[in-house]
Amino acid sequence: MQILQSSHLFTFPKPLNPNRPLLHNNNNNNRRHVTFPAAATTKSFPPKCFSSDEFPVDETFLEQFGPKDKETEDEARRRNWIERGWAPWEEILTPEADFARKSLNEGDEVALQSPEAVEAFKMLKPSYRMKKIKEMGITEDEWYKKQFEIKGEIPEKLETVWAAPLLVTHVAPRDWPPRGWEVDRKELEYIREAHKLQNVRVEIGELERKAKFERGGFNFDRYRVFLKQYNQWVAANKDRLEEESYKYDQDYYPGRRKRGKDYEECMYELPFYYPGQICEGKVTTVHLYQGAFVDIGGVYDGWVPIKGNDWYWIRHHIKVGMHVIVEILAKRDPYRFRFPIEMRFVQPNIDHLIFNRFDFAPIFHRDEDKNPDELRRDCGRPPVPRKYPGVKPEEEGLLSTHPYVDKLWQIHNAEQLILDDMEANPDKYKGKKLSELTDDEEFDDENSVEYTKVNYKKALLPKIILKTSVKELDLEAALAEREHHNKLQREAKERGEQYKVYKLRRNFEMDEYNFIHWRRSLEERGALIRDISCRQALGLPLEEPGRYKEDSFFGKDEYDPSNPLYRYDYWGEPKNSEKSLQERMRDAHNKSIVGKGMVWYEMSYDDVIKQKMQREARSKRVTLEEEEEDSTSGHGNGDDDDDDFDYSILSDSSSLSFSNQPVVNGTESSSISDEGMFED
């Protein structure tokens, strides 16, 4: 609210539907005049208080914010965008791109105005462009070079220099042989002696002399032994690797394993390469979001990670088809990582032009990856941050229930059911061996559990049917056990004693499994306590670093789907934490029946009203029938005080129901109604 102290005050009133414009332009003189309605043209006003939307307007206001005739709205918007830096493409677009952008206006074709625009549009067609290039008598590369010269975008060529000579050695990989592949141990020791010799420090001059003049030596002999073992491994595993490639890599992507027509016999497999190896190759693919791919003579193309924005600086130096020198930085699992060989450019060296690095190498997400923590651990990624649960595993109780006990209990019950049926119907199993019994239907292990519902005392309860195959049962052993117990029971009966079976064979088996599980849990607890003690003694962290974060890391209002604050109502807006009207009415109805206790199954409010109306209708019908019976039968002794008491409330609850006797889940509550107890 603003207060202005002035003797002359001009204000715009706020009519809802103004009949005439408030501002007029006088073309005779270039000055702008303001016309006011009659109610506003008074001589003077006393000091008055105004709201923020009734700010006084004078001529300086009109000069700043009034309409301007010289500039259209589109021109003003474009100028404003460029001045504020909101539309950088206005300066960057080439003439062809600018023409292509302005040639279509919301899907409607615009006629080409100038001959330059017509020619630029024709040059967008490859066939016409090639025709023009041939008319000029130049090649396509020269034409593109000329276009770059016109734009002035060709930078100077990169020159890579080294402080020391580039050393290319023939050394076997340190991770040879692959896992699961057996080689001659003496040959392997002979190969690995070359790795020990790499740690010897030599002078640069001596290194240059050896690199220039030595053509053979002990390292070459060791490398020949490695090549012999490598060729044996390739001959044994080449077909298997190609089959696995067809199984896992069904879609094409840059850097995929070469197979079929692309595969050649001289291509090197993954064990041939090692980190630190210098290779010569040819750029095969350039990808905007993933980087460059270099063919180094292997079944996998090497991957040089380059992100999108860095291509602006690198696009002139790295092009498809050029020969480069690369260094291998990492070798990874081809079935987990999308690009198993990661490299960098050595010639030309563009490391100083790469600013955006990949945090982690791209990986495959497969259907069998169920545990995200295990997946991240295998791929070298940090764990998913989560809140500390506050529960220490070393303080939890020991496990004593084996997971197989449920299956044993199911098998035990199935065996006893068959034996009971055998005693009840002996003719059904006459002449049959228990070991030769078959299932009535084809047993389906996936659909062995059925979830249904069954009526029990006017209530619909959930029911689970567990199907068991006869092949899983040991009926002969169960029959022998039952015959043994029947024999002992008959002998005890003859002696006049009582014989009781406390546990059967399967019960002892369940106890053994539970005891094994308890012993395993106890040993794991001991190992966990020893590990914690050792970590505390060495000063190591007890938990995986980065696995648990403080509550402040997640912020004050962390997204929690179970929190009512983040649930949305019918209109798509988030509800507050208060319950809806229907939920409050349902809870009040439940509390009126059972007090503050929890209701195991919540009935909808509409069903409650329907059942209440049905009960009222039934009670009225019952009372009318009773009145008719009383009128026809007549009264007995009028002096009997017991006639005033209605014994119907003591009868079976299923025969009569009163209007105020509630029904929860289709079952009448245990409360007794007082209706009809004292009649008038």
Side-chain angles (χ1 to χ4, degrees):
M1 186 174 294
Q2 299 169 351
I3 301 175
L4 299 179
Q5 302 287 342
S6 62
S7 58
H8 299 283
L9 204 58
F10 299 95
T11 63
F12 277 127
K14 293 174 59 181
L16 295 178
N17 296 310
N19 296 326
R20 59 181 182 272
L22 300 178
L23 300 180
H24 294 279
N25 293 329
N26 193 348
N27 295 326
N28 296 330
N29 48 10
N30 293 329
R31 295 186 304 167
R32 291 188 173 89
H33 297 278
V34 184
T35 60
F36 303 99
T41 57
T42 56
K43 293 182 179 180
S44 64
F45 289 104
K48 187 179 177 183
C49 177
F50 298 95
S51 62
S52 59
D53 55 350
E54 294 180 353
F55 191 83
V57 178
D58 52 7
E59 293 193 3
T60 60
F61 176 84
L62 296 176
E63 290 176 2
Q64 294 178 1
F65 302 102
K68 298 178 176 56
D69 302 332
K70 299 179 181 178
E71 194 175 24
T72 63
E73 184 179 356
D74 292 338
E75 293 174 351
R77 183 181 292 111
R78 184 179 183 277
R79 177 184 53 78
N80 195 19
W81 282 3
I82 297 175
E83 286 178 358
R84 294 176 180 267
W86 294 343
W89 56 81
E90 295 289 349
E91 296 91 1
I92 293 175
L93 286 182
T94 60
E96 294 87 353
D98 186 52
F99 163 74
R101 177 173 169 268
K102 295 178 179 178
S103 61
L104 294 179
N105 182 17
E106 295 184 359
D108 300 331
E109 293 189 5
V110 179
L112 303 178
Q113 304 292 336
S114 62
E116 293 83 2
V118 175
E119 184 66 20
F121 186 78
K122 290 181 179 179
M123 289 296 287
L124 294 175
K125 191 175 180 182
S127 59
Y128 184 81
R129 185 166 62 244
M130 294 301 296
K131 178 182 175 183
K132 282 291 184 182
I133 290 173
K134 289 180 180 179
E135 291 178 358
M136 296 179 187
I138 58 177
T139 62
E140 189 175 3
D141 292 338
E142 292 176 352
W143 185 81
Y144 280 118
K145 189 175 182 180
K146 186 177 180 182
Q147 299 299 315
F148 282 122
E149 288 176 357
I150 294 172
K151 298 173 186 177
E153 292 182 358
I154 293 187
E156 295 181 1
K157 188 175 181 180
L158 284 177
E159 293 184 1
T160 306
V161 295
W162 296 282
L166 184 63
L167 182 61
V168 180
T169 59
H170 290 288
V171 182
R174 291 178 181 266
D175 60 350
W176 177 261
R179 184 177 299 175
W181 182 254
E182 296 293 336
V183 296
D184 188 2
R185 305 305 299 176
K186 293 184 178 180
E187 291 182 355
L188 185 61
E189 291 177 3
Y190 180 67
I191 292 172
R192 288 182 175 174
E193 287 180 2
H195 302 146
K196 300 177 184 178
L197 296 173
Q198 282 184 324
N199 299 328
V200 178
R201 181 174 295 181
V202 294
E203 298 294 334
I204 294 181
E206 184 182 358
L207 185 63
E208 290 181 354
R209 183 183 60 80
K210 287 186 177 181
K212 289 180 180 177
F213 302 109
E214 275 198 18
R215 300 301 178 187
F218 48 85
N219 275 351
F220 285 97
D221 296 337
R222 289 178 173 82
Y223 195 70
R224 291 191 191 97
V225 176
F226 159 71
L227 288 179
K228 184 192 73 171
Q229 294 185 357
Y230 166 77
N231 292 328
Q232 293 174 358
W233 180 87
V234 170
N237 296 274
K238 180 177 63 175
D239 297 335
R240 176 183 62 84
L241 293 174
E242 187 163 359
E243 290 178 3
E244 291 179 354
S245 174
Y246 278 106
K247 178 181 177 183
Y248 290 104
D249 301 336
Q250 298 177 2
D251 299 329
Y252 174 79
Y253 57 91
R256 187 186 68 176
R257 178 186 172 89
K258 298 172 185 175
R259 61 200 189 197
K261 299 178 181 179
D262 300 332
Y263 181 80
E264 297 177 5
E265 292 296 331
C266 58
M267 287 184 173
Y268 296 109
E269 296 286 348
L270 201 59
F272 179 82
Y273 299 102
Y274 60 91
Q277 190 173 6
I278 304 295
C279 303
E280 190 271 339
K282 181 180 179 181
V283 180
T284 58
T285 308
V286 168
H287 198 285
L288 177 61
Y289 302 107
Q290 294 173 348
F293 296 89
V294 181
D295 181 11
I296 54 177
V299 292
Y300 293 99
D301 285 348
W303 170 57
V304 181
I306 301 173
K307 277 196 172 181
N309 293 342
D310 291 339
W311 276 115
Y312 181 79
W313 316 100
I314 300 171
R315 58 192 166 128
H316 308 288
H317 308 299
I318 302 298
K319 296 185 179 180
V320 175
M322 68 183 299
H323 292 269
V324 294
I325 301 176
V326 292
E327 178 187 359
I328 297 177
L329 299 179
K331 182 174 69 171
R332 301 186 175 95
D333 181 11
Y335 302 110
R336 172 56 62 198
F337 292 89
R338 186 174 288 269
F339 312 121
I341 301 178
E342 182 180 348
M343 304 185 304
R344 74 176 186 92
F345 285 113
V346 176
Q347 168 70 27
N349 186 13
I350 57 167
D351 290 346
H352 62 288
L353 300 178
I354 298 178
F355 301 96
N356 301 315
R357 304 283 180 177
F358 280 81
D359 295 332
F360 307 101
I363 62 173
F364 291 110
H365 290 272
R366 307 194 187 278
D367 295 337
E368 55 267 18
D369 299 331
K370 304 297 182 183
N371 190 351
D373 292 330
E374 184 179 353
L375 174 64
R376 284 176 164 267
R377 193 179 300 112
D378 292 345
C379 300
R381 286 162 165 75
V384 180
R386 63 189 70 179
K387 289 184 179 180
Y388 183 70
V391 179
K392 297 182 179 180
E394 64 272 13
E395 297 179 358
E396 294 181 357
L398 296 176
L399 301 175
S400 60
T401 304
H402 197 279
Y404 186 60
V405 167
D406 294 336
K407 183 65 175 177
L408 276 178
W409 174 84
Q410 182 179 345
I411 292 173
H412 169 66
N413 283 325
E415 290 174 351
Q416 298 304 316
L417 286 173
I418 292 178
L419 293 180
D420 292 342
D421 186 47
M422 186 176 178
E423 291 181 354
N425 305 313
D427 298 336
K428 182 179 178 182
Y429 297 90
K430 189 174 181 180
K432 293 183 180 180
K433 290 185 179 181
L434 294 178
S435 59
E436 297 178 355
L437 294 179
T438 57
D439 298 323
D440 296 337
E441 300 176 358
E442 186 176 355
F443 181 72
D444 187 6
D445 195 10
E446 295 182 357
N447 301 323
S448 60
V449 182
E450 288 186 6
Y451 297 92
T452 58
K453 292 184 179 180
V454 63
N455 292 316
Y456 177 74
K457 291 185 179 180
K458 295 187 177 181
L460 194 61
L461 302 179
K463 179 182 178 182
I464 302 177
I465 301 176
L466 302 175
K467 297 181 180 179
T468 308
S469 176
V470 183
K471 300 177 182 178
E472 299 178 357
L473 308 180
D474 191 0
L475 293 173
E476 294 181 352
L479 179 61
E481 183 186 29
R482 175 164 290 198
E483 290 176 351
H484 175 66
H485 285 299
N486 290 341
K487 178 183 176 183
L488 295 178
Q489 188 175 8
R490 288 194 300 270
E491 293 176 356
K493 190 175 181 181
E494 291 174 358
R495 296 194 302 267
E497 299 175 358
Q498 186 178 4
Y499 179 76
K500 188 174 182 181
V501 181
Y502 290 96
K503 282 188 176 182
L504 296 175
R505 178 178 56 91
R506 292 290 189 184
N507 299 117
F508 288 108
E509 194 174 349
M510 294 179 202
D511 293 342
E512 289 177 3
Y513 272 101
N514 288 334
F515 181 69
I516 291 172
H517 200 56
W518 178 84
R519 291 287 300 183
R520 184 186 296 118
S521 179
L522 180 64
E523 292 172 0
E524 289 177 356
R525 176 64 50 83
L528 178 62
I529 293 174
R530 287 194 300 273
D531 180 69
I532 292 174
S533 302
C534 295
R535 285 176 176 272
Q536 289 177 345
L538 297 174
L540 298 175
L542 300 181
E543 299 289 346
E544 184 180 0
R547 182 176 180 84
Y548 297 115
K549 298 285 187 180
E550 299 293 337
D551 294 345
S552 59
F553 174 81
F554 300 96
K556 184 179 179 182
D557 296 328
E558 183 196 2
Y559 174 68
D560 184 9
S562 61
N563 191 349
L565 186 65
Y566 294 98
R567 294 184 192 151
Y568 290 83
D569 60 7
Y570 178 78
W571 303 106
E573 298 177 357
K575 296 194 302 183
N576 53 12
S577 57
E578 185 182 359
K579 294 182 179 179
S580 63
L581 177 62
Q582 187 174 2
E583 291 177 349
R584 289 199 301 270
M585 294 175 70
R586 184 188 62 201
D587 293 345
H589 160 72
N590 291 334
K591 286 183 179 180
S592 66
I593 298 172
V594 295
K596 295 183 179 180
M598 295 296 294
V599 179
W600 65 274
Y601 181 85
E602 295 177 343
M603 184 184 300
S604 65
Y605 186 74
D606 298 335
D607 296 342
V608 172
I609 297 301
K610 290 179 182 179
Q611 289 191 4
K612 186 176 181 181
M613 295 173 62
Q614 293 174 1
R615 289 198 304 272
E616 290 178 354
R618 286 201 304 268
S619 63
K620 289 180 181 179
R621 187 169 61 253
V622 169
T623 51
L624 290 174
E625 292 177 357
E626 290 179 352
E627 289 177 0
E628 291 177 359
E629 291 178 359
D630 293 341
S631 62
T632 54
S633 61
H635 296 282
N637 297 327
D639 300 333
D640 193 357
D641 296 334
D642 294 339
D643 291 341
D644 296 336
F645 186 77
D646 187 4
Y647 290 95
S648 61
I649 61 174
L650 302 178
S651 62
D652 186 12
S653 60
S654 61
S655 60
L656 298 176
S657 61
F658 300 100
S659 59
N660 65 342
Q661 189 167 2
V663 175
V664 182
N665 313 323
T667 306
E668 295 177 357
S669 66
S670 58
S671 61
I672 299 178
S673 172
D674 60 349
E675 182 175 338
M677 184 175 291
F678 303 101
E679 296 179 352
D680 295 337

